[in-house]
Amino acid sequence: MSPRNDYSSSAAAAGKLVNNQIKWRGDSGLKDGKEVDLDLSKGMYDAGDAVKFGFPLAFTATMLSWTILERGQRMGMEGVDQLQKAKDSVKWITDYLVNAHPKDNVLYVQVGDAEKDHKCWQRPESITDNKPLFQINTTAPGSDVAAETAAALASASLVFKKSDPPYSAKLLEHAKKLFIFADKYREYYSVSLPQVKKYYNSTGYGDELLWAASWLYHATQEDIYKDYVVGSEAEEFADWGKPSWFSWDNKLAGVQVLLSRVYFFHGKDNTKLAKYRKSAQALMCTLLPESPSATSDRTNGGLIWIAEWNALQHPVAVAFLASLYGDYMEKSDNENLECDEKTFKSEDLREFAKKQADYVLGDNPNSMSYLVGYSKKFPKFVHHRGASIPADATTGCKDGYQWLESTKPNPNEATGALVGGPFMNETYIDSRNNSMQGEPTTYNSALLVGLLSSLATSSQSVVTSLG
C-alpha cells in the first residue's frame, strides 16, 4: 500500500480483486451484505484483520481524495503514472460506502465481529462464515461516522467530477443526505453501537460535522455549507485557537487547514475564516522546532510523538498538513508565518514535513524504515494475518496461530505498509505479537501517500480552487 501500488489489489482490499498484483492475496468477503440484499464485498480491512470498520475506512478515502485533488496533476501523481491507480483505490472504497448507504437515514458502519475476528488468526480468504453487520439509523444514530462518510463521498465527488460526471453526482447526492442525517440525529456512533467502542471509539462528532460541511462546500460552492462552518455550529465545535492533532478520530486540524485554503484564496474578508486560519497557524507554530511555541511532544530524533498505539499516524498526518499549509502560503503570496516574536517561511514547514518523512523512511536512531519493503532494514514480523500465513496454507480460526507464533519472518511481504512505529524512547520491537507497534493500517498508508506526494511536488501543483 504505497504510491507505487494499486490500493484495490493491496494487502487490505476486500472483495473480488481486480488487477491483483499481490500473489499472496485473493478474493475475500464476497458474501458480505448478502443477508440484507446488499453488496458490501468491496472496501478494505482496516489493518491486519478481516473487519471493515467504516469510520477509519471513510477517513482513508477522504485523505486519498485530498491528496489526488492537491497532488494529482501533471507535476504530481499523473507524472509518475500513479493518478489512475490512486483513483481506482478511492473508488474501491466509495463503491462500498455508497452500497453501505441504502436509504437516507441508514448507514452500515461495520462488517464483521471484531471480538470474534481478533480471537482468530487466519487469512481473509479462508473465512467462510457470514459476518455480522452493524448499522446506524434514526434510533441508533452516529453523527461522527455519518459525517466522515459524507466527507469521503464529497471529496471523492471532486476526484471524479471531470472523468466520470454521473458517478461524481451520485457520490455527492449520498454525501448531502448523509450530512443531513449526521446533523439532524446527533449522537456518538460508539454510544449507539457499544460494540465499536473498543477499537474505534469516537471522542466527538462536532469536528466531523465541520469537516463534512467544509468538503461539501468545496464540492458544491453552495453557501449553505459555508454558512455552516462559520455559523453557530462553528461557535460550538471549532475550538478556535487551540491546536489539536489530526487523526481518524479528530478532524479539527484538517478543518482548519482546509478552510485556511478558502481564506487564502477566496475569503480574506471573512472574520470566521480568519479564525480557522489563525488556528491552523497556531498548529504550524507548534510543529516547527525553532518556534517559541514548539511542542515538546517529540522524540530525541525529532519525531512528533503523541501515542504509544500507532505512533506514526500523528507525525505523518501533521506533516502532510504542514506541507499543504506551506504551499497555500506560497501560492497565495502570504510569505510569513508569525510565531510570537519569530517569523518563518513556507520552506520551514516543508523542511519540517521532510524530516518527519525521512525519519519514517530510515533517518532515525534505529536506522530502520517503518515502511515495509523500503530500504535494506524494515519490519519483517508485521502484525498482519495475510502476510504471516503462506498463501497455500489451509487454516481455520485456531490452527492459524502456528503462524502467529512462528519465529520465522512473514512469508509474504506487505510491501508499502506503514507500521505503527517506535516508542517515545525510539525503540521498536519487531515481533508479530506486537500489534501496538507492528500493525499497519489503511489510514496510515493514505496519510503517507499524501505526505510523500506533497514532498515530491512543488507549491505550483496546488490549484486555487477545488470546486
Side-chain angles (χ1 to χ4, degrees), residues 209-222:
L209 289 172
L210 294 176
W211 180 238
S214 299
W215 277 113
L216 280 163
Y217 174 67
H218 279 87
T220 66
Q221 297 297 301
E222 294 176 6

Side-chain angles (χ1 to χ4, degrees), residues 307-324:
E308 283 190 330
W309 277 95
N310 193 13
L312 290 177
Q313 178 187 194
H314 293 101
V316 172
V318 294
F320 173 59
L321 293 184
S323 68
L324 285 179

Side-chain angles (χ1 to χ4, degrees), residues 76 134 153 163 177 190 204 214 217 225 249 252 263 355 361:
F134 300 87
L153 297 176
S163 61
K177 290 180 178 179
S190 45
S214 299
Y217 174 67
Y225 300 113
D249 180 42
L252 275 183
Y263 172 83
K355 286 185 176 180
L361 297 178

Side-chain angles (χ1 to χ4, degrees), residues 134-153:
F134 300 87
Q135 67 164 252
I136 55 170
N137 48 52
T138 56
T139 58
S143 299
D144 29 34
V145 66
E148 180 57 60
T149 306
L153 297 176

Side-chain angles (χ1 to χ4, degrees), residues 188-437:
Y188 299 84
Y189 91 119
S190 45
V191 170
S192 294
L193 298 173
Q195 303 94 328
V196 307
K197 190 171 185 178
K198 182 177 179 180
Y199 297 98
Y200 287 104
N201 180 45
S202 174
T203 59
Y205 54 73
D207 54 320
E208 278 85 22
L209 289 172
L210 294 176
W211 180 238
S214 299
W215 277 113
L216 280 163
Y217 174 67
H218 279 87
T220 66
Q221 297 297 301
E222 294 176 6
D223 286 341
I224 184 175
Y225 300 113
K226 185 176 181 180
D227 292 344
Y228 190 97
V229 298
V230 299
S232 59
E233 285 78 11
E235 297 292 343
E236 184 176 358
F237 300 129
D239 210 13
W240 286 308
K242 298 178 182 178
S244 60
W245 301 112
F246 188 45
S247 70
W248 60 263
D249 180 42
N250 191 338
K251 316 303 175 356
L252 275 183
V255 172
Q256 292 160 7
V257 171
L258 188 58
L259 293 180
S260 291
R261 163 189 252 288
V262 181
Y263 172 83
F264 280 139
F265 297 124
H266 307 293
K268 291 185 179 179
D269 58 339
N270 190 302
T271 57
K272 296 289 181 68
L273 289 177
K275 288 185 177 182
Y276 285 109
R277 196 277 310 165
K278 187 174 182 180
S279 298
Q281 177 175 287
L283 173 61
M284 298 303 130
C285 289
T286 68
L287 301 178
L288 299 175
E290 303 302 319
S291 166
S293 55
T295 180
S296 59
D297 294 327
R298 64 185 87 214
T299 69
N300 288 336
L303 179 76
I304 295 290
W305 198 92
I306 306 302
E308 283 190 330
W309 277 95
N310 193 13
L312 290 177
Q313 178 187 194
H314 293 101
V316 172
V318 294
F320 173 59
L321 293 184
S323 68
L324 285 179
Y325 190 85
D327 284 358
Y328 297 162
M329 287 173 56
E330 186 174 338
K331 192 72 179 286
S332 62
D333 297 323
N334 287 267
E335 297 180 358
N336 295 331
L337 175 66
E338 303 294 341
C339 301
D340 295 331
E341 69 273 14
K342 294 197 70 172
T343 300
F344 297 91
K345 303 289 187 180
S346 60
E347 293 86 349
D348 296 306
L349 290 172
R350 179 169 281 263
E351 182 61 22
F352 161 77
K354 180 178 182 298
K355 286 185 176 180
Q356 299 300 295
D358 287 345
Y359 187 106
V360 170
L361 297 178
D363 186 9
N364 55 61
N366 292 321
S367 297
M368 167 183 273
S369 165
Y370 296 109
L371 182 66
V372 177
Y374 181 82
S375 193
K376 294 180 179 179
K377 182 182 179 183
F378 55 85
K380 301 294 178 65
F381 293 82
V382 178
H383 182 89
H384 189 284
R385 289 157 176 76
S388 70
I389 301 175
D392 59 355
T394 301
T395 63
C397 171
K398 298 298 182 183
D399 53 347
Y401 274 98
Q402 62 182 298
W403 305 107
L404 173 64
E405 303 298 338
S406 171
T407 58
K408 296 180 180 179
N410 287 349
N412 309 309
E413 184 183 282
T415 306
L418 181 64
V419 297
F423 289 134
M424 181 65 166
N425 64 4
E426 292 175 303
T427 59
Y428 180 84
I429 302 169
D430 192 13
S431 167
R432 203 173 290 113
N433 267 306
N434 183 14
S435 57
M436 182 181 291
Q437 291 187 292

Side-chain angles (χ1 to χ4, degrees), residues 69-192:
L69 293 169
E70 300 283 16
R71 310 301 186 187
Q73 304 304 314
R74 180 176 55 83
M75 292 180 288
M77 287 180 160
E78 189 174 25
V80 291
D81 193 28
Q82 295 300 313
L83 179 58
Q84 188 57 51
K85 292 179 180 180
K87 291 172 70 173
D88 290 345
S89 301
V90 171
K91 192 173 186 296
W92 200 261
I93 301 175
T94 54
D95 283 352
Y96 166 85
L97 295 176
V98 166
N99 288 351
H101 182 227
K103 49 188 176 181
D104 288 0
N105 295 323
V106 172
L107 177 67
Y108 286 88
V109 299
Q110 184 171 311
V111 177
D113 183 334
E115 288 294 325
K116 180 180 178 181
D117 180 88
H118 287 202
K119 292 177 181 177
C120 294
W121 196 265
Q122 61 186 138
R123 301 170 67 240
E125 293 85 349
S126 301
I127 298 174
T128 58
D129 299 342
N130 287 331
K131 299 173 187 173
L133 307 175
F134 300 87
Q135 67 164 252
I136 55 170
N137 48 52
T138 56
T139 58
S143 299
D144 29 34
V145 66
E148 180 57 60
T149 306
L153 297 176
S155 58
S157 75
L158 286 168
V159 170
F160 297 103
K161 188 173 184 178
K162 293 182 179 179
S163 61
D164 193 344
Y167 187 64
S168 173
K170 181 180 182 180
L171 297 180
L172 188 55
E173 184 64 23
H174 279 275
K176 289 179 176 180
K177 290 180 178 179
L178 280 165
F179 179 70
I180 292 172
F181 174 38
D183 191 38
K184 183 176 181 180
Y185 299 94
R186 294 187 180 184
E187 184 56 275
Y188 299 84
Y189 91 119
S190 45
V191 170
S192 294

